[in-house]
Amino acid sequence: MNKKLAAALSGGAVLVLTLSGCSDDSDDKVNDWAKKVCDQVQPQLQKINNANASILEKTGDDNKPADVQKADSVAFGQMSQAYKALGTAVDSAGPPPVDDGEATQKAAVKELNASSKAYADLKTKVDALDTKDQSKFADGLNAIADELNKISTGGDQALRKLQSGKVGVAMSKQEGCQKQTASTGPSGSGAADADASPEGTAPDKKESTDKDSSDKGSSGEEPAEKDSSEKKA
């Protein structure tokens, strides 16, 4: 019942990174900025991954619609909160000390906030689904999965730009901006922890995005800025 939604999650837009850049041409000011952001990013990425995990736990056809609805609703709410917190983290850090830093920062914040709103909208739609009619519920869930796909593939150019060049190299060295794994188990805290605010994305897309970010960073090219959403990324 929840398989299409799980598939959409696994193709989700990558938030923050694991860049593979090996050059170390970032200066102290850039490193300090990256640490300020990444220290706040890490717990939010963990919450996002935990929320994703809680949805994936409800992918079986034997799950009751009401249980699926509850897990998805909590998870989307957590994702919305996490993206909002990520936007706040990037905003409060100020512009990165690089060329065009202010414009890059503002675009990334806008993208993160758009993703926060998109997930909040999905929570509202999940809450409104009819769990008494399994067929209608499945149709509604499929529609939500389609919207999740749009959020996931809506583009993340602003975040990629933020993670390119010297800033990307500096961020890739910070533990808080490196790839996180879900910590929830079968009795997982992802859906149950009301304070959690969560989004992980699939390793395949993450790795490809990381490579893309790294390649762009080392070549000096910066992708065009985009109007996201949220990822919805």
mmCIF file with all atom_site columns, all heavy atoms in Angstrom, residues 5 21-22 33 44 47-48 55 65 70 75 79 81 85 93 113 134 138 158 166 191 202 204 207-208 211 216 219:
data_model
loop_
_atom_site.group_PDB
_atom_site.id
_atom_site.type_symbol
_atom_site.label_atom_id
_atom_site.label_alt_id
_atom_site.label_comp_id
_atom_site.label_asym_id
_atom_site.label_entity_id
_atom_site.label_seq_id
_atom_site.pdbx_PDB_ins_code
_atom_site.Cartn_x
_atom_site.Cartn_y
_atom_site.Cartn_z
_atom_site.occupancy
_atom_site.B_iso_or_equiv
_atom_site.pdbx_formal_charge
_atom_site.auth_seq_id
_atom_site.auth_comp_id
_atom_site.auth_asym_id
_atom_site.auth_atom_id
_atom_site.pdbx_PDB_model_num
ATOM 1   N N   . LEU A 1 5   ? 4.935   5.293  -2.217  1.00 0.00 ? 5   LEU A N   1
ATOM 2   C CA  . LEU A 1 5   ? 5.423   6.387  -1.387  1.00 0.00 ? 5   LEU A CA  1
ATOM 3   C C   . LEU A 1 5   ? 6.872   6.120  -0.980  1.00 0.00 ? 5   LEU A C   1
ATOM 4   O O   . LEU A 1 5   ? 7.713   7.017  -0.997  1.00 0.00 ? 5   LEU A O   1
ATOM 5   C CB  . LEU A 1 5   ? 4.541   6.515  -0.145  1.00 0.00 ? 5   LEU A CB  1
ATOM 6   C CG  . LEU A 1 5   ? 4.627   7.816  0.648   1.00 0.00 ? 5   LEU A CG  1
ATOM 7   C CD1 . LEU A 1 5   ? 4.191   8.995  -0.209  1.00 0.00 ? 5   LEU A CD1 1
ATOM 8   C CD2 . LEU A 1 5   ? 3.760   7.727  1.893   1.00 0.00 ? 5   LEU A CD2 1
ATOM 9   N N   . GLY A 1 21  ? 35.312  15.808 -2.645  1.00 0.00 ? 21  GLY A N   1
ATOM 10  C CA  . GLY A 1 21  ? 36.455  16.651 -2.982  1.00 0.00 ? 21  GLY A CA  1
ATOM 11  C C   . GLY A 1 21  ? 37.631  16.396 -2.056  1.00 0.00 ? 21  GLY A C   1
ATOM 12  O O   . GLY A 1 21  ? 37.468  16.316 -0.850  1.00 0.00 ? 21  GLY A O   1
ATOM 13  N N   . CYS A 1 22  ? 38.803  16.261 -2.645  1.00 0.00 ? 22  CYS A N   1
ATOM 14  C CA  . CYS A 1 22  ? 39.974  15.960 -1.819  1.00 0.00 ? 22  CYS A CA  1
ATOM 15  C C   . CYS A 1 22  ? 40.915  17.151 -1.711  1.00 0.00 ? 22  CYS A C   1
ATOM 16  O O   . CYS A 1 22  ? 41.848  17.138 -0.928  1.00 0.00 ? 22  CYS A O   1
ATOM 17  C CB  . CYS A 1 22  ? 40.731  14.755 -2.382  1.00 0.00 ? 22  CYS A CB  1
ATOM 18  S SG  . CYS A 1 22  ? 41.193  14.961 -4.102  1.00 0.00 ? 22  CYS A SG  1
ATOM 19  N N   . TRP A 1 33  ? 32.677  29.035 8.736   1.00 0.00 ? 33  TRP A N   1
ATOM 20  C CA  . TRP A 1 33  ? 31.279  29.142 8.298   1.00 0.00 ? 33  TRP A CA  1
ATOM 21  C C   . TRP A 1 33  ? 30.674  27.748 8.129   1.00 0.00 ? 33  TRP A C   1
ATOM 22  O O   . TRP A 1 33  ? 29.557  27.486 8.580   1.00 0.00 ? 33  TRP A O   1
ATOM 23  C CB  . TRP A 1 33  ? 31.196  29.910 6.977   1.00 0.00 ? 33  TRP A CB  1
ATOM 24  C CG  . TRP A 1 33  ? 29.786  30.137 6.522   1.00 0.00 ? 33  TRP A CG  1
ATOM 25  C CD1 . TRP A 1 33  ? 28.990  31.213 6.801   1.00 0.00 ? 33  TRP A CD1 1
ATOM 26  C CD2 . TRP A 1 33  ? 28.997  29.259 5.711   1.00 0.00 ? 33  TRP A CD2 1
ATOM 27  N NE1 . TRP A 1 33  ? 27.749  31.059 6.215   1.00 0.00 ? 33  TRP A NE1 1
ATOM 28  C CE2 . TRP A 1 33  ? 27.733  29.872 5.548   1.00 0.00 ? 33  TRP A CE2 1
ATOM 29  C CE3 . TRP A 1 33  ? 29.236  28.026 5.120   1.00 0.00 ? 33  TRP A CE3 1
ATOM 30  C CZ2 . TRP A 1 33  ? 26.708  29.275 4.812   1.00 0.00 ? 33  TRP A CZ2 1
ATOM 31  C CZ3 . TRP A 1 33  ? 28.216  27.419 4.394   1.00 0.00 ? 33  TRP A CZ3 1
ATOM 32  C CH2 . TRP A 1 33  ? 26.965  28.047 4.240   1.00 0.00 ? 33  TRP A CH2 1
ATOM 33  N N   . GLN A 1 44  ? 19.327  17.543 12.284  1.00 0.00 ? 44  GLN A N   1
ATOM 34  C CA  . GLN A 1 44  ? 18.157  17.630 11.421  1.00 0.00 ? 44  GLN A CA  1
ATOM 35  C C   . GLN A 1 44  ? 18.179  16.548 10.343  1.00 0.00 ? 44  GLN A C   1
ATOM 36  O O   . GLN A 1 44  ? 17.148  15.945 10.020  1.00 0.00 ? 44  GLN A O   1
ATOM 37  C CB  . GLN A 1 44  ? 18.066  19.021 10.782  1.00 0.00 ? 44  GLN A CB  1
ATOM 38  C CG  . GLN A 1 44  ? 18.017  20.175 11.782  1.00 0.00 ? 44  GLN A CG  1
ATOM 39  C CD  . GLN A 1 44  ? 16.949  19.988 12.847  1.00 0.00 ? 44  GLN A CD  1
ATOM 40  O OE1 . GLN A 1 44  ? 15.866  19.464 12.578  1.00 0.00 ? 44  GLN A OE1 1
ATOM 41  N NE2 . GLN A 1 44  ? 17.250  20.419 14.070  1.00 0.00 ? 44  GLN A NE2 1
ATOM 42  N N   . LYS A 1 47  ? 17.087  13.356 11.914  1.00 0.00 ? 47  LYS A N   1
ATOM 43  C CA  . LYS A 1 47  ? 15.638  13.300 12.108  1.00 0.00 ? 47  LYS A CA  1
ATOM 44  C C   . LYS A 1 47  ? 14.913  12.999 10.792  1.00 0.00 ? 47  LYS A C   1
ATOM 45  O O   . LYS A 1 47  ? 13.926  12.266 10.758  1.00 0.00 ? 47  LYS A O   1
ATOM 46  C CB  . LYS A 1 47  ? 15.144  14.626 12.696  1.00 0.00 ? 47  LYS A CB  1
ATOM 47  C CG  . LYS A 1 47  ? 15.589  14.853 14.134  1.00 0.00 ? 47  LYS A CG  1
ATOM 48  C CD  . LYS A 1 47  ? 15.229  16.256 14.599  1.00 0.00 ? 47  LYS A CD  1
ATOM 49  C CE  . LYS A 1 47  ? 15.767  16.532 16.001  1.00 0.00 ? 47  LYS A CE  1
ATOM 50  N NZ  . LYS A 1 47  ? 15.480  17.922 16.436  1.00 0.00 ? 47  LYS A NZ  1
ATOM 51  N N   . ILE A 1 48  ? 15.423  13.579 9.713   1.00 0.00 ? 48  ILE A N   1
ATOM 52  C CA  . ILE A 1 48  ? 14.825  13.347 8.399   1.00 0.00 ? 48  ILE A CA  1
ATOM 53  C C   . ILE A 1 48  ? 14.968  11.876 8.015   1.00 0.00 ? 48  ILE A C   1
ATOM 54  O O   . ILE A 1 48  ? 14.021  11.234 7.551   1.00 0.00 ? 48  ILE A O   1
ATOM 55  C CB  . ILE A 1 48  ? 15.484  14.252 7.342   1.00 0.00 ? 48  ILE A CB  1
ATOM 56  C CG1 . ILE A 1 48  ? 14.981  15.681 7.507   1.00 0.00 ? 48  ILE A CG1 1
ATOM 57  C CG2 . ILE A 1 48  ? 15.177  13.756 5.932   1.00 0.00 ? 48  ILE A CG2 1
ATOM 58  C CD1 . ILE A 1 48  ? 15.732  16.698 6.685   1.00 0.00 ? 48  ILE A CD1 1
ATOM 59  N N   . ILE A 1 55  ? 8.352   5.683  7.627   1.00 0.00 ? 55  ILE A N   1
ATOM 60  C CA  . ILE A 1 55  ? 7.431   5.473  6.502   1.00 0.00 ? 55  ILE A CA  1
ATOM 61  C C   . ILE A 1 55  ? 7.736   4.135  5.836   1.00 0.00 ? 55  ILE A C   1
ATOM 62  O O   . ILE A 1 55  ? 6.826   3.368  5.496   1.00 0.00 ? 55  ILE A O   1
ATOM 63  C CB  . ILE A 1 55  ? 7.545   6.628  5.488   1.00 0.00 ? 55  ILE A CB  1
ATOM 64  C CG1 . ILE A 1 55  ? 6.949   7.913  6.088   1.00 0.00 ? 55  ILE A CG1 1
ATOM 65  C CG2 . ILE A 1 55  ? 6.827   6.277  4.189   1.00 0.00 ? 55  ILE A CG2 1
ATOM 66  C CD1 . ILE A 1 55  ? 7.055   9.118  5.172   1.00 0.00 ? 55  ILE A CD1 1
ATOM 67  N N   . PRO A 1 65  ? -4.695  0.864  7.078   1.00 0.00 ? 65  PRO A N   1
ATOM 68  C CA  . PRO A 1 65  ? -4.677  2.246  6.587   1.00 0.00 ? 65  PRO A CA  1
ATOM 69  C C   . PRO A 1 65  ? -4.490  3.276  7.693   1.00 0.00 ? 65  PRO A C   1
ATOM 70  O O   . PRO A 1 65  ? -3.735  4.235  7.525   1.00 0.00 ? 65  PRO A O   1
ATOM 71  C CB  . PRO A 1 65  ? -6.040  2.388  5.897   1.00 0.00 ? 65  PRO A CB  1
ATOM 72  C CG  . PRO A 1 65  ? -6.339  1.016  5.414   1.00 0.00 ? 65  PRO A CG  1
ATOM 73  C CD  . PRO A 1 65  ? -5.825  0.105  6.487   1.00 0.00 ? 65  PRO A CD  1
ATOM 74  N N   . LYS A 1 70  ? -1.152  7.375  10.194  1.00 0.00 ? 70  LYS A N   1
ATOM 75  C CA  . LYS A 1 70  ? -0.535  7.966  11.383  1.00 0.00 ? 70  LYS A CA  1
ATOM 76  C C   . LYS A 1 70  ? 0.981   8.097  11.214  1.00 0.00 ? 70  LYS A C   1
ATOM 77  O O   . LYS A 1 70  ? 1.562   9.158  11.492  1.00 0.00 ? 70  LYS A O   1
ATOM 78  C CB  . LYS A 1 70  ? -0.841  7.115  12.617  1.00 0.00 ? 70  LYS A CB  1
ATOM 79  C CG  . LYS A 1 70  ? -0.243  7.674  13.897  1.00 0.00 ? 70  LYS A CG  1
ATOM 80  C CD  . LYS A 1 70  ? -0.607  6.811  15.099  1.00 0.00 ? 70  LYS A CD  1
ATOM 81  C CE  . LYS A 1 70  ? 0.016   7.357  16.378  1.00 0.00 ? 70  LYS A CE  1
ATOM 82  N NZ  . LYS A 1 70  ? -0.323  6.515  17.561  1.00 0.00 ? 70  LYS A NZ  1
ATOM 83  N N   . ALA A 1 75  ? 5.650   11.517 10.159  1.00 0.00 ? 75  ALA A N   1
ATOM 84  C CA  . ALA A 1 75  ? 6.914   11.640 9.426   1.00 0.00 ? 75  ALA A CA  1
ATOM 85  C C   . ALA A 1 75  ? 6.961   12.908 8.582   1.00 0.00 ? 75  ALA A C   1
ATOM 86  O O   . ALA A 1 75  ? 7.966   13.624 8.575   1.00 0.00 ? 75  ALA A O   1
ATOM 87  C CB  . ALA A 1 75  ? 7.124   10.409 8.540   1.00 0.00 ? 75  ALA A CB  1
ATOM 88  N N   . MET A 1 79  ? 9.566   15.986 8.891   1.00 0.00 ? 79  MET A N   1
ATOM 89  C CA  . MET A 1 79  ? 10.376  16.459 7.767   1.00 0.00 ? 79  MET A CA  1
ATOM 90  C C   . MET A 1 79  ? 10.206  17.963 7.575   1.00 0.00 ? 79  MET A C   1
ATOM 91  O O   . MET A 1 79  ? 11.179  18.685 7.327   1.00 0.00 ? 79  MET A O   1
ATOM 92  C CB  . MET A 1 79  ? 9.978   15.722 6.489   1.00 0.00 ? 79  MET A CB  1
ATOM 93  C CG  . MET A 1 79  ? 10.375  14.270 6.472   1.00 0.00 ? 79  MET A CG  1
ATOM 94  S SD  . MET A 1 79  ? 9.775   13.468 4.954   1.00 0.00 ? 79  MET A SD  1
ATOM 95  C CE  . MET A 1 79  ? 10.265  11.774 5.273   1.00 0.00 ? 79  MET A CE  1
ATOM 96  N N   . GLN A 1 81  ? 9.435   20.182 9.816   1.00 0.00 ? 81  GLN A N   1
ATOM 97  C CA  . GLN A 1 81  ? 10.151  20.871 10.899  1.00 0.00 ? 81  GLN A CA  1
ATOM 98  C C   . GLN A 1 81  ? 11.655  20.869 10.660  1.00 0.00 ? 81  GLN A C   1
ATOM 99  O O   . GLN A 1 81  ? 12.348  21.860 10.893  1.00 0.00 ? 81  GLN A O   1
ATOM 100 C CB  . GLN A 1 81  ? 9.839   20.191 12.234  1.00 0.00 ? 81  GLN A CB  1
ATOM 101 C CG  . GLN A 1 81  ? 8.388   20.309 12.677  1.00 0.00 ? 81  GLN A CG  1
ATOM 102 C CD  . GLN A 1 81  ? 8.059   19.354 13.815  1.00 0.00 ? 81  GLN A CD  1
ATOM 103 O OE1 . GLN A 1 81  ? 8.959   18.869 14.500  1.00 0.00 ? 81  GLN A OE1 1
ATOM 104 N NE2 . GLN A 1 81  ? 6.788   19.062 13.992  1.00 0.00 ? 81  GLN A NE2 1
ATOM 105 N N   . ALA A 1 85  ? 14.213  24.009 10.126  1.00 0.00 ? 85  ALA A N   1
ATOM 106 C CA  . ALA A 1 85  ? 15.383  24.200 10.978  1.00 0.00 ? 85  ALA A CA  1
ATOM 107 C C   . ALA A 1 85  ? 16.657  24.321 10.140  1.00 0.00 ? 85  ALA A C   1
ATOM 108 O O   . ALA A 1 85  ? 17.563  25.092 10.469  1.00 0.00 ? 85  ALA A O   1
ATOM 109 C CB  . ALA A 1 85  ? 15.516  23.034 11.963  1.00 0.00 ? 85  ALA A CB  1
ATOM 110 N N   . ALA A 1 93  ? 23.698  31.497 9.886   1.00 0.00 ? 93  ALA A N   1
ATOM 111 C CA  . ALA A 1 93  ? 25.152  31.456 9.706   1.00 0.00 ? 93  ALA A CA  1
ATOM 112 C C   . ALA A 1 93  ? 25.657  32.664 8.933   1.00 0.00 ? 93  ALA A C   1
ATOM 113 O O   . ALA A 1 93  ? 26.846  32.989 8.979   1.00 0.00 ? 93  ALA A O   1
ATOM 114 C CB  . ALA A 1 93  ? 25.565  30.173 8.978   1.00 0.00 ? 93  ALA A CB  1
ATOM 115 N N   . ASN A 1 113 ? 13.137  26.340 2.905   1.00 0.00 ? 113 ASN A N   1
ATOM 116 C CA  . ASN A 1 113 ? 11.833  26.739 3.432   1.00 0.00 ? 113 ASN A CA  1
ATOM 117 C C   . ASN A 1 113 ? 10.696  26.246 2.544   1.00 0.00 ? 113 ASN A C   1
ATOM 118 O O   . ASN A 1 113 ? 9.611   25.880 3.031   1.00 0.00 ? 113 ASN A O   1
ATOM 119 C CB  . ASN A 1 113 ? 11.764  28.264 3.580   1.00 0.00 ? 113 ASN A CB  1
ATOM 120 C CG  . ASN A 1 113 ? 12.600  28.774 4.732   1.00 0.00 ? 113 ASN A CG  1
ATOM 121 O OD1 . ASN A 1 113 ? 12.912  28.028 5.668   1.00 0.00 ? 113 ASN A OD1 1
ATOM 122 N ND2 . ASN A 1 113 ? 12.979  30.047 4.697   1.00 0.00 ? 113 ASN A ND2 1
ATOM 123 N N   . GLN A 1 134 ? -10.273 1.140  1.920   1.00 0.00 ? 134 GLN A N   1
ATOM 124 C CA  . GLN A 1 134 ? -8.874  0.850  1.602   1.00 0.00 ? 134 GLN A CA  1
ATOM 125 C C   . GLN A 1 134 ? -8.523  1.223  0.171   1.00 0.00 ? 134 GLN A C   1
ATOM 126 O O   . GLN A 1 134 ? -7.416  1.677  -0.107  1.00 0.00 ? 134 GLN A O   1
ATOM 127 C CB  . GLN A 1 134 ? -8.583  -0.631 1.846   1.00 0.00 ? 134 GLN A CB  1
ATOM 128 C CG  . GLN A 1 134 ? -7.110  -0.978 1.668   1.00 0.00 ? 134 GLN A CG  1
ATOM 129 C CD  . GLN A 1 134 ? -6.704  -2.207 2.441   1.00 0.00 ? 134 GLN A CD  1
ATOM 130 O OE1 . GLN A 1 134 ? -7.373  -2.598 3.388   1.00 0.00 ? 134 GLN A OE1 1
ATOM 131 N NE2 . GLN A 1 134 ? -5.598  -2.812 2.049   1.00 0.00 ? 134 GLN A NE2 1
ATOM 132 N N   . ALA A 1 138 ? -5.714  3.920  -0.761  1.00 0.00 ? 138 ALA A N   1
ATOM 133 C CA  . ALA A 1 138 ? -4.569  3.581  -1.608  1.00 0.00 ? 138 ALA A CA  1
ATOM 134 C C   . ALA A 1 138 ? -4.429  4.582  -2.754  1.00 0.00 ? 138 ALA A C   1
ATOM 135 O O   . ALA A 1 138 ? -3.314  5.014  -3.090  1.00 0.00 ? 138 ALA A O   1
ATOM 136 C CB  . ALA A 1 138 ? -4.726  2.169  -2.159  1.00 0.00 ? 138 ALA A CB  1
ATOM 137 N N   . ALA A 1 158 ? 20.027  25.369 -5.955  1.00 0.00 ? 158 ALA A N   1
ATOM 138 C CA  . ALA A 1 158 ? 20.529  26.328 -4.970  1.00 0.00 ? 158 ALA A CA  1
ATOM 139 C C   . ALA A 1 158 ? 21.383  25.629 -3.922  1.00 0.00 ? 158 ALA A C   1
ATOM 140 O O   . ALA A 1 158 ? 22.435  26.127 -3.512  1.00 0.00 ? 158 ALA A O   1
ATOM 141 C CB  . ALA A 1 158 ? 19.373  27.074 -4.304  1.00 0.00 ? 158 ALA A CB  1
ATOM 142 N N   . LYS A 1 166 ? 34.762  26.258 -2.839  1.00 0.00 ? 166 LYS A N   1
ATOM 143 C CA  . LYS A 1 166 ? 35.431  26.255 -1.541  1.00 0.00 ? 166 LYS A CA  1
ATOM 144 C C   . LYS A 1 166 ? 34.475  25.914 -0.405  1.00 0.00 ? 166 LYS A C   1
ATOM 145 O O   . LYS A 1 166 ? 34.842  25.226 0.548   1.00 0.00 ? 166 LYS A O   1
ATOM 146 C CB  . LYS A 1 166 ? 36.064  27.625 -1.280  1.00 0.00 ? 166 LYS A CB  1
ATOM 147 C CG  . LYS A 1 166 ? 37.260  27.945 -2.159  1.00 0.00 ? 166 LYS A CG  1
ATOM 148 C CD  . LYS A 1 166 ? 37.880  29.278 -1.767  1.00 0.00 ? 166 LYS A CD  1
ATOM 149 C CE  . LYS A 1 166 ? 39.119  29.580 -2.611  1.00 0.00 ? 166 LYS A CE  1
ATOM 150 N NZ  . LYS A 1 166 ? 39.739  30.855 -2.206  1.00 0.00 ? 166 LYS A NZ  1
ATOM 151 N N   . ALA A 1 191 ? 8.747   7.553  13.776  1.00 0.00 ? 191 ALA A N   1
ATOM 152 C CA  . ALA A 1 191 ? 7.369   7.997  13.707  1.00 0.00 ? 191 ALA A CA  1
ATOM 153 C C   . ALA A 1 191 ? 6.840   8.332  15.075  1.00 0.00 ? 191 ALA A C   1
ATOM 154 O O   . ALA A 1 191 ? 5.869   9.047  15.219  1.00 0.00 ? 191 ALA A O   1
ATOM 155 C CB  . ALA A 1 191 ? 6.511   6.902  13.082  1.00 0.00 ? 191 ALA A CB  1
ATOM 156 N N   . ALA A 1 202 ? 18.009  8.523  -0.813  1.00 0.00 ? 202 ALA A N   1
ATOM 157 C CA  . ALA A 1 202 ? 18.633  7.287  -1.218  1.00 0.00 ? 202 ALA A CA  1
ATOM 158 C C   . ALA A 1 202 ? 20.108  7.437  -1.476  1.00 0.00 ? 202 ALA A C   1
ATOM 159 O O   . ALA A 1 202 ? 20.539  8.418  -2.022  1.00 0.00 ? 202 ALA A O   1
ATOM 160 C CB  . ALA A 1 202 ? 17.965  6.787  -2.470  1.00 0.00 ? 202 ALA A CB  1
ATOM 161 N N   . ASP A 1 204 ? 21.973  6.046  -3.660  1.00 0.00 ? 204 ASP A N   1
ATOM 162 C CA  . ASP A 1 204 ? 22.341  6.180  -5.064  1.00 0.00 ? 204 ASP A CA  1
ATOM 163 C C   . ASP A 1 204 ? 22.279  7.610  -5.512  1.00 0.00 ? 204 ASP A C   1
ATOM 164 O O   . ASP A 1 204 ? 23.172  8.156  -6.110  1.00 0.00 ? 204 ASP A O   1
ATOM 165 C CB  . ASP A 1 204 ? 21.415  5.334  -5.945  1.00 0.00 ? 204 ASP A CB  1
ATOM 166 C CG  . ASP A 1 204 ? 21.718  3.855  -5.783  1.00 0.00 ? 204 ASP A CG  1
ATOM 167 O OD1 . ASP A 1 204 ? 22.784  3.540  -5.231  1.00 0.00 ? 204 ASP A OD1 1
ATOM 168 O OD2 . ASP A 1 204 ? 20.895  3.049  -6.219  1.00 0.00 ? 204 ASP A OD2 1
ATOM 169 N N   . GLU A 1 207 ? 24.887  9.753  -3.693  1.00 0.00 ? 207 GLU A N   1
ATOM 170 C CA  . GLU A 1 207 ? 26.237  9.619  -4.204  1.00 0.00 ? 207 GLU A CA  1
ATOM 171 C C   . GLU A 1 207 ? 26.398  10.341 -5.526  1.00 0.00 ? 207 GLU A C   1
ATOM 172 O O   . GLU A 1 207 ? 27.405  10.991 -5.771  1.00 0.00 ? 207 GLU A O   1
ATOM 173 C CB  . GLU A 1 207 ? 26.567  8.125  -4.379  1.00 0.00 ? 207 GLU A CB  1
ATOM 174 C CG  . GLU A 1 207 ? 26.725  7.418  -3.026  1.00 0.00 ? 207 GLU A CG  1
ATOM 175 C CD  . GLU A 1 207 ? 26.822  5.924  -3.193  1.00 0.00 ? 207 GLU A CD  1
ATOM 176 O OE1 . GLU A 1 207 ? 26.853  5.451  -4.346  1.00 0.00 ? 207 GLU A OE1 1
ATOM 177 O OE2 . GLU A 1 207 ? 26.869  5.236  -2.176  1.00 0.00 ? 207 GLU A OE2 1
ATOM 178 N N   . SER A 1 208 ? 25.362  10.241 -6.381  1.00 0.00 ? 208 SER A N   1
ATOM 179 C CA  . SER A 1 208 ? 25.487  10.904 -7.669  1.00 0.00 ? 208 SER A CA  1
ATOM 180 C C   . SER A 1 208 ? 25.487  12.407 -7.506  1.00 0.00 ? 208 SER A C   1
ATOM 181 O O   . SER A 1 208 ? 26.184  13.124 -8.199  1.00 0.00 ? 208 SER A O   1
ATOM 182 C CB  . SER A 1 208 ? 24.347  10.472 -8.598  1.00 0.00 ? 208 SER A CB  1
ATOM 183 O OG  . SER A 1 208 ? 23.124  10.913 -8.115  1.00 0.00 ? 208 SER A OG  1
ATOM 184 N N   . LYS A 1 211 ? 28.837  13.448 -6.172  1.00 0.00 ? 211 LYS A N   1
ATOM 185 C CA  . LYS A 1 211 ? 29.841  13.473 -7.221  1.00 0.00 ? 211 LYS A CA  1
ATOM 186 C C   . LYS A 1 211 ? 29.650  14.692 -8.086  1.00 0.00 ? 211 LYS A C   1
ATOM 187 O O   . LYS A 1 211 ? 30.591  15.373 -8.465  1.00 0.00 ? 211 LYS A O   1
ATOM 188 C CB  . LYS A 1 211 ? 29.717  12.195 -8.061  1.00 0.00 ? 211 LYS A CB  1
ATOM 189 C CG  . LYS A 1 211 ? 30.769  12.118 -9.186  1.00 0.00 ? 211 LYS A CG  1
ATOM 190 C CD  . LYS A 1 211 ? 30.619  10.823 -9.949  1.00 0.00 ? 211 LYS A CD  1
ATOM 191 C CE  . LYS A 1 211 ? 31.703  10.701 -11.005 1.00 0.00 ? 211 LYS A CE  1
ATOM 192 N NZ  . LYS A 1 211 ? 31.703  11.811 -11.926 1.00 0.00 ? 211 LYS A NZ  1
ATOM 193 N N   . LYS A 1 216 ? 31.572  19.821 -9.831  1.00 0.00 ? 216 LYS A N   1
ATOM 194 C CA  . LYS A 1 216 ? 31.340  21.234 -10.074 1.00 0.00 ? 216 LYS A CA  1
ATOM 195 C C   . LYS A 1 216 ? 32.252  22.082 -9.219  1.00 0.00 ? 216 LYS A C   1
ATOM 196 O O   . LYS A 1 216 ? 32.731  23.121 -9.619  1.00 0.00 ? 216 LYS A O   1
ATOM 197 C CB  . LYS A 1 216 ? 29.876  21.584 -9.801  1.00 0.00 ? 216 LYS A CB  1
ATOM 198 C CG  . LYS A 1 216 ? 28.960  21.031 -10.896 1.00 0.00 ? 216 LYS A CG  1
ATOM 199 C CD  . LYS A 1 216 ? 27.523  21.434 -10.606 1.00 0.00 ? 216 LYS A CD  1
ATOM 200 C CE  . LYS A 1 216 ? 26.582  21.075 -11.726 1.00 0.00 ? 216 LYS A CE  1
ATOM 201 N NZ  . LYS A 1 216 ? 26.534  19.676 -12.046 1.00 0.00 ? 216 LYS A NZ  1
ATOM 202 N N   . SER A 1 219 ? 35.797  22.100 -10.666 1.00 0.00 ? 219 SER A N   1
ATOM 203 C CA  . SER A 1 219 ? 35.956  22.762 -11.961 1.00 0.00 ? 219 SER A CA  1
ATOM 204 C C   . SER A 1 219 ? 35.641  24.232 -11.901 1.00 0.00 ? 219 SER A C   1
ATOM 205 O O   . SER A 1 219 ? 35.852  24.975 -12.835 1.00 0.00 ? 219 SER A O   1
ATOM 206 C CB  . SER A 1 219 ? 35.038  22.100 -12.990 1.00 0.00 ? 219 SER A CB  1
ATOM 207 O OG  . SER A 1 219 ? 33.697  22.324 -12.638 1.00 0.00 ? 219 SER A OG  1
#
